Amino acid sequence: MKPFSILAACAGFACVSAIAASAAETAPDNVTHDDYGSVAESLTGTAGDAASGATIMTDRGLGNCIACHEVSALKDAPWHGEVGPTLDGAGDRWTEADLRGIVVNSKMVFDGTIMPAYYKNSGFVRAGDLYTGKAAPADLPPILTAQQVEDVVAFLMTLQD
Amino acid sequence: MAKLNITTAVATLALLGGTLGASADENAKLVINGDIEMVTRTKAPDHVPFDEIRSGWTFRTEETQVLQMDDFDNPGMIFVDQAIDNWNTVEGSEGKSCASCHQDAESSMQGVRAVYPKWNETAGEVRTLAMQVNDCRENQMGAKPYKYDGGDMAAMEALISVQSRGMPVNVAIDGPVSETWEQGKEIYYTRYGQLELSCANCHEDNYDNMIRADHLSQGQINGFPTYRLKNAKLNTAHARFKGCVRDTRAETFSAGSPEFVALELYVASRGNGLSVEGPSVRN
């Protein structure tokens, strides 16, 4: 009886986002970071898929993480940048909650960092519509979906020393 | 992130038979036509928060660098020739060409590029070179203005820049321009777009680092207009600003907007002391 419960959610909240996102999904504004910036709770309740996370990290329209970070496990994809530290061993250095906090909004962990916030959809100066140079739509989505964040975190956890 | 052009990178790669273009010799000297010596590295002016300013040329691969060392190899020079024709062409209601008032660009335009953008007392405004060209077209020639970042304008800027090649950029930052300069500085440090990146994040904090396939420079404009191998044409500074702001997933300002005029003044002043290089060659 899944369709019914989604409809019920729809009555109380904004219908469009309630249908697009699953009922358990945490919206960008509702994510809680602890004092260290970590986010303990999964954004979706669905385990992340590390293989998908690897794709997201190399895709220039999605995470494009390797624009700034070197990741030995992703060496099949060309051109790794050197703006950020290498992510080799990141899953050893950080807990899953830390990594989720960093991907959601790294500025909560590293004050003033150059690294973009991947699960944030407001509070920008002149936000644009992707790479068109045009103004963003009113309902600007975050760079990554909640599940894509979980996928990236799952991949990062595989980066053990 | 920056929309990086893998196709260009891969094309270069193929040319080099499979190895990444050797990073240029840090201390290579830029001498054009075996004659004009360029200052590509020098002590930073006081208003720049690091020690040494460097031309974008010093960050390019040797293959790109050599293209700027001889005017026969520099594809930007073709546009200089085109602009000479425009310089001498009568246009507009007044029956005049640029040459009617300024005679030979070679003598009358010497040193001009080096001090722009600058204050125009009569108009009471900061003027970029492009604004001055269009002011002449509209008010002296009665001709239509060029598109601010279009091909004719880029070519005309190249013709004018060439007459100052090798002279140090020397843009005033105080007096009547100071307010505009401050505005430009604020824009330089504002983190725009969904990626929340400022010019400074890339060109001050990370110059000399690779961002994906791009070797980040200091984002200097002493080489503008630049011929880019990537789009095979001359590019104005404002077109480059637009591209960089767009790459932060931001709504850009338009070419010729007051914001970009202020930004141009500020960025130009960060290059005070580097040689005027336009038209330069970049990837």
Side-chain angles (χ1 to χ4, degrees):
Chain A
M1 293 280 102
K2 258 242 161 86
F4 283 109
S5 58
I6 287 178
L7 275 180
C10 211
F13 304 98
C15 290
V16 188
S17 53
I19 290 175
S22 90
E25 194 172 300
T26 311
D29 285 343
N30 298 336
V31 180
T32 355
H33 296 260
D34 71 14
D35 288 351
Y36 302 98
S38 310
V39 175
E41 293 242 345
S42 163
L43 302 180
T44 61
T46 305
D49 169 0
S52 152
T55 310
I56 293 162
M57 288 190 54
T58 54
D59 187 317
R60 283 187 284 156
L62 293 171
N64 198 19
C65 312
I66 62 170
C68 292
H69 293 285
E70 191 184 336
V71 189
S72 300
L74 299 175
K75 274 297 179 193
D76 282 353
W79 313 117
H80 294 219
E82 45 192 24
V83 169
T86 168
L87 297 184
D88 290 0
D92 255 355
R93 281 193 295 284
W94 303 92
T95 66
E96 185 187 300
D98 294 337
L99 292 169
R100 186 178 292 108
I102 292 171
V103 178
V104 163
N105 184 354
S106 53
K107 286 161 187 81
M108 306 295 282
V109 181
F110 312 110
D111 196 30
T113 183
I114 187 178
M115 180 169 155
Y118 284 88
Y119 197 60
K120 174 175 163 181
N121 59 1
S122 60
F124 305 116
V125 183
R126 296 180 75 86
D129 186 5
L130 301 171
Y131 294 103
T132 61
K134 303 215 161 60
D139 58 343
L140 176 71
I143 299 171
L144 298 181
T145 65
Q147 193 56 45
Q148 285 171 333
V149 171
E150 293 304 323
D151 293 353
V152 168
V153 170
F155 175 78
L156 292 173
M157 286 304 290
T158 68
L159 301 176
Q160 301 290 326
D161 271 334
Chain B
M1 234 5 21
K3 256 201 204 155
L4 305 158
N5 192 321
I6 291 263
T7 350
T8 323
V10 170
T12 317
L13 197 71
L15 279 175
L16 298 169
T19 43
L20 177 54
S23 234
D25 171 5
E26 283 269 299
N27 297 309
K29 288 232 162 19
L30 174 55
V31 181
I32 294 180
N33 304 330
D35 177 34
I36 315 172
E37 281 189 33
M38 298 285 185
V39 175
T40 56
R41 312 175 71 118
T42 192
K43 189 179 170 304
D46 289 345
H47 56 273
V48 174
F50 42 83
D51 296 339
E52 190 188 40
I53 48 171
R54 289 170 59 181
S55 159
W57 184 83
T58 65
F59 295 90
R60 307 286 50 103
T61 60
E62 266 173 53
E63 291 71 22
T64 306
Q65 285 187 336
V66 294
L67 293 175
Q68 206 187 310
M69 298 175 85
D70 190 311
D71 285 349
F72 285 108
D73 299 325
N74 182 341
M77 294 308 288
I78 297 160
F79 301 92
V80 171
D81 285 339
Q82 286 175 11
I84 293 176
D85 290 342
N86 285 342
W87 179 268
N88 294 310
T89 305
V90 172
E91 270 187 85
S93 58
E94 304 306 303
K96 289 181 188 160
S97 68
C98 311
S100 312
C101 293
H102 300 290
Q103 292 79 38
D104 246 356
E106 263 181 48
S107 41
S108 66
M109 292 297 126
Q110 244 181 53
V112 169
R113 167 79 274 178
V115 295
Y116 269 83
K118 72 168 194 185
W119 184 250
N120 181 295
E121 193 59 52
T122 319
E125 66 183 11
V126 172
R127 265 196 194 156
T128 62
L129 195 52
M131 286 163 74
Q132 183 58 51
V133 167
N134 272 343
D135 185 76
C136 286
R137 287 183 61 82
E138 291 185 274
N139 298 318
Q140 307 293 340
M141 299 163 67
K144 277 210 249 148
Y146 287 144
K147 180 168 182 267
Y148 195 97
D149 55 350
D152 285 332
M153 183 64 85
M156 187 56 73
E157 287 190 56
L159 170 62
I160 296 170
S161 298
V162 149
Q163 319 307 336
S164 300
R165 273 199 305 188
M167 295 181 185
V169 175
N170 184 20
V171 166
I173 67 172
D174 47 14
V177 306
S178 61
E179 202 180 314
T180 308
W181 186 83
E182 288 294 344
Q183 189 199 350
K185 180 176 180 183
E186 190 180 319
I187 292 171
Y188 194 86
Y189 286 100
T190 300
R191 301 186 66 161
Y192 289 109
Q194 193 167 15
L195 300 184
E196 298 177 284
L197 295 171
S198 69
C199 313
N201 283 145
C202 288
H203 294 297
E204 182 171 305
D205 304 338
N206 280 292
Y207 71 81
D208 226 354
N209 281 333
M210 295 299 290
I211 187 162
R212 204 120 189 196
D214 278 330
H215 188 197
L216 281 168
S217 73
Q218 292 180 349
Q220 298 283 2
I221 54 174
N222 61 305
F224 276 78
T226 60
Y227 181 88
R228 293 189 66 192
L229 303 168
K230 174 178 171 175
N231 60 14
K233 63 170 189 172
L234 272 187
N235 298 268
T236 65
H238 289 209
R240 179 47 112 155
F241 293 169
K242 258 202 293 192
C244 281
V245 175
R246 179 202 62 213
D247 286 349
T248 70
R249 291 200 191 208
E251 179 187 6
T252 59
F253 299 99
S254 46
S257 62
E259 290 85 358
F260 274 176
V261 170
L263 184 62
E264 179 179 340
L265 171 66
Y266 176 72
V267 176
S269 79
R270 290 173 68 105
N272 274 351
L274 293 172
S275 296
V276 172
E277 273 180 38
S280 65
V281 184
R282 303 287 187 259
N283 54 327

